[in-house]
Every structure is written in structure tokens, then in C-alpha cells.
Amino acid sequence: WSRPDELGWAPFGPAAVVRIAAEVDADGAVRTWRHDVWGNGHVTRPGFVRAVGLLAASHREGGEPIGPAGEPPLANGGGAARNAVPGYDFPDQRVVNHLLSVMPLRTSALRALGAFVNVFAIESFMDELAAAAGRDPVEYRLAQLSDPRGRAVVEAVVRRSGWADWTPTESLGHGIAYARYKNTSAYCAVVAEVEATSEVRVRRLTLAVDAGLVVNPDGAENQIEGGAIQATSWALRERVRFDDRSVTSDTWETYPILTFSEVPAVDVELLPDNGNPSLGVGETAQGPTGAAIANAIHDAIGVRVRSMPFTAERIVAAMPD
């Protein structure tokens, strides 16, 4: 079982596109919010589709094609629309999920499902709106976030990361992002510190998480650290390439991942449960980490990259003419 076997025949997390628009008042606060996502339902695991959701098993049963992914309801976490509903106090918001039933490659669930791209889009746009209003990105978020537990993780990560003491330096930047995973699970805020020269390097990630009662703090921290590092690899390196016949990124060279020497320092703070029941940590770190990296890149070099991974080529392409 080789690397080409794995990457050539395994299902992949589906691609997605998000478009966001907002109307703001004179102070830059959001009055109306529109979020459209085009994506696949993400889940073709066994038990989620009509046919057997395993490729070899479907061949053994006569080659019946594996059906399109279903879209779980948001009450169960959602698929393409996971975390598409922003957690802020916008008085008027509309979220539309344009579900795609046909994909060019066989797809299934990748960690966090649609939360990764939806949080990336929401939190990148929140930074853009804050900049347009001439407001600090932390203050801008807190002004439109009334959930006390959400506010607490943002304030905690700002303190722990030393946000207020940051000294602007050429090619160095920091960025913040926030989300509550699935809008029902753990709260997470992330500050990313990056160095953007010939390529982007994430130097440090600080995360504050409120998961309610944490039974095993060491296990929870490991889960959060792993999610943050994997999200960093997605944001900087990972991309499936394919032609009209097959997957072409089927080696370590054509599908690179973050190496040990590139892993950032990761600092996690678990907030006290204050008597709240366990929410589960899950994949709460994924979305805010990717978004915080994007915002840090913009802080470092003034370029807003709206497509991942954040390679040198995509950063150059995003530069204004």
C-alpha cells in the first residue's frame, strides 16, 4: 500500500467556494450579512449514503456507484454549511447553502467539514470590515459579540498572546480569528504570528478554548494542538491536483504537508468551566487557525489572500496591480 495508492484512490475533502457581502452603518458595524456557500455535503462514509460508502466494497457488490453526499441538518452540525451562520450579533443575516451533488472526485469527510472554509471566509471578511472602518480587529469583533463565553475566549487569547504589546516589524504580522465550532460546541479564538518573506512561515499560534467541563485536560490540549497544526498544513501546503482522468498529486513532492521543522510553537489555554457541562473539543481549532493565519499574512504584507493554500504564487497573484 503505497503513497500513490493512498492519494490516488482515497476520498478527498470537497472543494468549496464562499461569497460574503455586508452592509454597515456609519461606524462600520454590520447591519445586513449575506453568506453563500457552494459545496458538497462532505459525508459519504458508510451509513450516510444509500450505497456502501467504501470503494472496494462497492466494487465487490457489482460496482454500484457511491451516491452523492447528504447534507446533515445544522442541528447535527451540518456539512457544507457547518459554521456558515456567523456567531456575531448581526441584526439581519441570510445564509444560503448551494448544495452540489456532483463532484469531479470522490469526496468524503475531512476534519471540520465545511467549518474550515466558512470560518476562514467569515473571519477574513470581519478583518476587512474592521480595516475599512478604521477599527482594531479585536475591538470590532467584541463590539458585535454578546455571547459572554465567546467574548471570554477572545479576551483570553488577546491577553495570552501579548496582542497589545505587538511591535509592527517588516514581514512579520499577527492576526486573530474566532468561532464556536458547529455553533453548538467548543468556543475557540486563535492568534497567529507569521513571517512572510519568500514563503509564509507560521511562528506561533496561541489558542484559547472554552469546552465547558474538561475531563482530561492533557487530552483536550493535544486535540487542540493537533487541530491547529493540521490546519496550518492545510492553509500553507495542501492541495489536491487532478486532470480529467485521475489525481495527479499522489506523491510527497506533489502533495506536500507541513514538516516537523515548520511546525509552529502552539500555546493553548483552556478556560475554566464555571459549572458549564462538557461541550467536547472536537475540531474547534481548525477554522479559526486558518483564518488567523490569513489575517496575519495581511497584517505582515498588506495582501488579502482569499484562496488556500497560501503559497507564494497565490500571494503574488493577490497583490494589487
Side-chain angles (χ1 to χ4, degrees), residues 141-290:
R141 285 170 170 81
L142 291 175
Q144 300 177 87
L145 178 61
S146 62
D147 188 325
R149 297 174 73 176
R151 294 178 63 88
V153 294
V154 172
E155 291 166 348
V157 83
V158 166
R159 287 193 303 270
R160 194 173 185 98
S161 67
W163 178 275
D165 300 324
W166 178 265
T167 301
T169 307
E170 185 179 1
S171 78
L172 298 181
H174 67 165
I176 190 168
Y178 156 80
R180 183 182 184 187
Y181 185 48
K182 300 182 184 178
N183 296 91
T184 58
S185 188
Y187 298 79
C188 179
V190 179
V191 169
E193 299 175 13
V194 309
E195 181 178 8
T197 52
S198 59
E199 63 178 8
V200 175
R201 184 181 185 92
V202 179
R203 297 167 24 134
R204 181 181 178 218
L205 295 170
T206 307
L207 299 94
V209 174
D210 177 359
L213 175 64
V214 177
V215 177
N216 182 347
D218 185 59
E221 287 186 21
N222 287 331
Q223 174 80 352
I224 295 164
E225 289 174 2
I229 292 169
Q230 184 177 35
T232 302
S233 185
W234 290 349
L236 299 185
R237 295 282 183 271
E238 300 183 39
R239 178 174 54 171
V240 177
R241 294 177 172 87
F242 56 97
D243 57 23
D244 58 359
R245 294 177 59 86
S246 62
V247 174
T248 59
S249 53
D250 61 356
T251 66
W252 292 111
E253 289 75 25
T254 54
Y255 190 93
I257 65 174
L258 206 68
T259 63
F260 281 107
S261 64
E262 297 169 321
V263 170
V266 182
D267 182 23
V268 176
E269 177 178 350
L270 294 172
L271 271 63
D273 62 80
N274 295 322
N276 291 306
S278 177
L279 293 173
V281 170
E283 290 140 9
T284 190
Q286 249 80 3
T289 297

Side-chain angles (χ1 to χ4, degrees), residues 67-91:
E71 176 71 11
L74 286 181
N76 294 340
R82 179 170 294 183
N83 275 104
V85 178
Y88 297 99
D89 306 324
F90 301 151

